[in-house]
Amino acid sequence: EPEVTQTPSHQVTQMGQEVILRCVPISNHLYFYWYRQILGQKVEFLVSFYNNEISEKSEIFDDQFSVERPDGSNFTLKIRSTKLEDSAMYFCASSGSLKVPYEQYFGPGTRLTVT
Amino acid sequence: QKEVEQDPGPLSVPEGAIVSLNCTYSNSAFQYFMWYRQYSRKGPELLMYTYSSGNKEDGRFTAQVDKSSKYISLFIRDSQPSDSATYLCAMSDRNQGGKLIFGQGTELSVKP
């Protein structure tokens, strides 16, 4: 069964450093998303991406964040200058057909620890 | 008022019990309703997807949406220890670029 994959599974970085989180969505999907989950809290939407541009972003997704689909398979989230409060699980998701665009499938997540 | 409210539990039931999980919401524009299961430190796994009101059944799982009451439910019949996880409701409206709003999640434990 197709699945969303994410790398790395765990990333430790120092405050102020740049990180890139990588995702490979399900191959025929058209819509891509990033969410985050701070330990013990709700899953929160960050950004959605369709047709090579951002469709929607939350107030969390400020100028420090960017997304890119550099090729036909990868989808990345970049945090330019990490803060302690960016420590969280980051989930990539994708959804497929235009008929059910919001049936989103999540990856296993990248645990980001900012020290 | 929070957009999506879900009792975090924990909820503990004996094996074989019928489990009822619920969420309420405030945004009447929501049209898409989903239930996810999440194991500790893993990604949410899509269980059920419902558009607008009504019921949907998949094996031991039944999802119900009552838009008039802004209330959604997930029923698990013949619960098993392997059902022990956190269950998240999520919802969206078609004008928000696929943005899902999640509930807090209900932690369920099914005891053998």
Side-chain angles (χ1 to χ4, degrees), chain B residues 15-112:
Chain B
E15 183 175 354
I18 296 174
V19 176
S20 172
L21 304 166
N22 311 293
C23 288
T24 58
Y25 63 95
S26 58
N27 187 347
S28 56
F30 287 149
Q31 296 176 298
Y32 302 91
F33 303 92
M34 281 134 284
W35 286 96
Y36 287 86
R37 177 172 62 195
Q38 186 177 30
Y39 296 107
S40 182
R41 301 198 175 224
K42 303 291 185 187
E45 173 194 358
L46 181 63
L47 287 175
M48 305 282 289
Y49 170 96
T50 309
Y51 170 68
S52 194
S53 282
N55 294 358
K56 188 171 184 178
E57 188 173 318
D58 184 0
R60 295 185 296 111
F61 297 88
T62 300
Q64 288 185 351
V65 175
D66 181 350
K67 291 192 73 179
S68 62
S69 302
K70 298 191 180 72
Y71 187 87
I72 70 171
S73 301
L74 178 71
F75 298 96
I76 307 174
R77 289 183 297 282
D78 186 25
S79 55
Q80 302 295 308
S82 57
D83 295 328
S84 298
T86 296
Y87 289 80
L88 312 173
C89 64
M91 41 200 86
S92 182
D93 85 61
R94 65 168 58 243
N95 297 318
Q96 288 195 304
K99 172 183 177 181
L100 290 182
I101 307 296
F102 279 84
Q104 179 70 31
T106 299
E107 184 182 346
L108 172 67
S109 177
V110 181
K111 304 293 188 186

Side-chain angles (χ1 to χ4, degrees), chain A residues 15-59:
Chain A
M15 194 167 51
Q17 295 297 303
E18 174 183 287
V19 294
I20 297 176
L21 310 182
R22 292 182 166 80
C23 168
V24 179
I26 293 172
S27 62
N28 61 346
H29 280 186
L30 302 172
Y31 302 80
F32 314 110
Y33 313 86
W34 283 102
Y35 292 81
R36 78 172 186 190
Q37 186 176 30
I38 295 171
L39 189 63
Q41 297 188 22
K42 287 186 180 187
V43 175
E44 300 175 287
F45 171 83
L46 292 177
V47 66
S48 60
F49 191 85
Y50 170 70
N51 200 26
N52 283 320
E53 58 183 34
I54 290 174
S55 304
E56 185 81 19
K57 61 182 181 179
S58 72
E59 57 275 9

